Amino acid sequence: MRGLLCLALATTTAFVPPTTRQQLQLHATTPSGIVYEDIEVGEGKTANAGDYVSVIYETRLNGKVIDATGGGEAKVMSTGVQGAGDRPWAQFAVGKGKVIKGWDETVQTMRVGGKRKLTLPAELAYGDEGSPDGVIPPGASVDFTIELTSVDSDSGIIGAVGGTFALLAALIAANGVALQLTGHELREYLAGTV
């Protein structure tokens, strides 16, 4: 009976795997209302809440590019930083409310190297107020293309900063001054609670 069920499923399901990674394109709508299409799926790490991600992006409103990184003058999100070279980027902590809700949700479902087109409903973009600079009007849905270029865990960043503080503490101690900083204090300092 089990063999017949498998045979029946095999004959009714006509799945043909793509021949290359580029042919795999995913079109979906999330329960929250984000409509997206994966242009490139990516094969790297995924981001979790608290991780720091770097993205290259383009923002479109009614089909017109209004903000972008990459090439020429780059505008970078107010919470991001600009990278060096030809491909400026934005960086932010995922799930910390540093960017619009739709970005927090989207990047957690991507892999490094992935590139995605998406449309965010107003409530996941700039809401009833619109963007602070007035470019995106209240209640507008917004289109983006996002490429996830890197994911760095919070603990990795704390470890790197902790190593730097340890080196500084050793240099200061060598000059006769003692400095004590615990991991807990470092986490609080980095989180901005101290």
Side-chain angles (χ1 to χ4, degrees), residues 45-95:
K45 290 173 56 173
T46 57
N48 297 309
D51 287 343
Y52 290 85
V53 297
S54 296
V55 298
I56 297 169
Y57 71 94
E58 179 179 88
T59 309
R60 293 175 310 285
L61 182 64
N62 300 322
K64 180 182 175 192
V65 175
I66 59 170
D67 189 17
T69 59
E73 293 285 322
K75 297 178 183 176
V76 180
M77 302 174 69
S78 61
T79 56
V81 294
Q82 183 169 328
D86 300 315
R87 301 187 75 188
W89 41 265
Q91 184 177 49
F92 58 94
V94 177

Side-chain angles (χ1 to χ4, degrees), residues 146-160:
I146 298 175
E147 181 180 346
L148 182 59
T149 59
S150 71
V151 174
D152 296 305
S153 70
D154 191 27
S155 61
I157 290 172
I158 289 173

Side-chain angles (χ1 to χ4, degrees), residues 93-167:
V94 177
K96 302 281 186 177
K98 302 292 183 183
V99 292
I100 56 178
K101 292 176 186 178
W103 275 40
D104 269 338
E105 181 180 332
T106 296
V107 297
Q108 291 183 70
T109 62
M110 295 177 69
R111 291 187 172 279
V112 171
K115 188 172 184 179
R116 179 175 287 177
K117 285 184 177 182
L118 58 138
T119 300
L120 298 182
E123 59 272 9
L124 296 178
Y126 295 96
D128 292 334
E129 290 81 40
S131 63
D133 59 7
V135 173
I136 299 172
S141 64
V142 185
D143 298 318
F144 294 94
T145 300
I146 298 175
E147 181 180 346
L148 182 59
T149 59
S150 71
V151 174
D152 296 305
S153 70
D154 191 27
S155 61
I157 290 172
I158 289 173
V161 173
T164 303
F165 273 117
L167 177 61

